[in-house]
Amino acid sequence: MSDREKTSVLQGFKAFLMRGNVVDLAVAVVIGAAFTNIVNAVVKGIVNPLVGAFGTKNLDSYSSCLKGPCEGTGDAATGVRILWGSVLGATLQFVITAAVVYFLMVLPMAKYLARVEARRKAKEGTHEVIEITELEVLKEIRDTLVAQRGTGHGGR
């Protein structure tokens, strides 16, 4: 590879990294990881104890026996089990994560963008009114000048 090709490849890579969607994606991944840790702590610290008030504190231990006898745990388990507790725990984590992202990020950003758009439209509306008014004034000035020219030429 020549120096020119290396420079071109590096410039292309830099342009790729600096595009807005790549940076946005990186930020989203970092924020998503942070929210995942928070949600996991909420599920383990609040949801699981609440579920534990009615049964076992660990959601992963909830299961149903599809084909018995279902005895033992882990690799020594016999029978066919449906581990619906794990699915429930993952579903709760997903719903809580989605709610946090929606209410703390998406909804405020949508409201902010709506306000910015409303301000922009209001500004454009005001600008159009001013332009129309200025146009009318210019037409009046033109008509007055034309009338003065007509009067001035007729008097000579």
Side-chain angles (χ1 to χ4, degrees):
M1 223 182 209
S2 69
D3 287 339
R4 187 174 187 188
E5 289 174 346
K6 286 181 183 177
T7 304
S8 175
V9 169
L10 289 176
Q11 287 175 343
F13 183 66
K14 180 181 175 185
F16 168 74
L17 288 178
M18 298 313 288
R19 285 192 341 214
N21 55 355
V22 174
V23 174
D24 292 343
L25 181 60
V27 169
V29 168
V30 170
I31 289 174
F35 277 136
T36 300
N37 290 335
I38 292 169
V39 169
N40 287 340
V42 168
V43 169
K44 288 179 183 174
I46 297 172
V47 175
N48 284 353
L50 289 174
V51 172
F54 302 104
T56 307
K57 188 175 180 179
N58 185 5
L59 289 177
D60 293 338
S61 66
Y62 288 102
S63 65
S64 297
C65 186
L66 187 62
K67 182 177 178 184
C70 291
E71 296 175 355
T73 58
D75 293 335
T78 60
V80 178
R81 292 181 189 232
I82 297 177
L83 303 173
W84 59 270
S86 299
V87 175
L88 177 64
T91 303
L92 285 172
Q93 287 181 340
F94 171 77
V95 168
I96 293 170
T97 302
V100 167
V101 168
Y102 179 76
F103 289 111
L104 294 182
M105 298 187 73
V106 174
L107 192 60
M109 184 57 101
K111 287 182 179 181
Y112 170 75
L113 292 176
R115 276 188 277 144
V116 167
E117 183 66 18
R119 285 182 191 152
R120 185 187 64 78
K121 285 184 179 180
K123 192 180 225 183
E124 284 180 1
T126 305
H127 192 262
E128 288 174 8
V129 169
I130 291 171
E131 285 179 5
I132 291 170
T133 305
E134 288 174 0
L135 183 61
E136 290 174 0
V137 169
L138 289 172
K139 284 180 181 179
E140 288 177 17
I141 293 170
R142 179 200 62 198
D143 294 343
T144 305
L145 289 173
V146 168
Q148 284 177 354
R149 279 188 192 164
T151 315
H153 288 295
R156 282 187 180 181

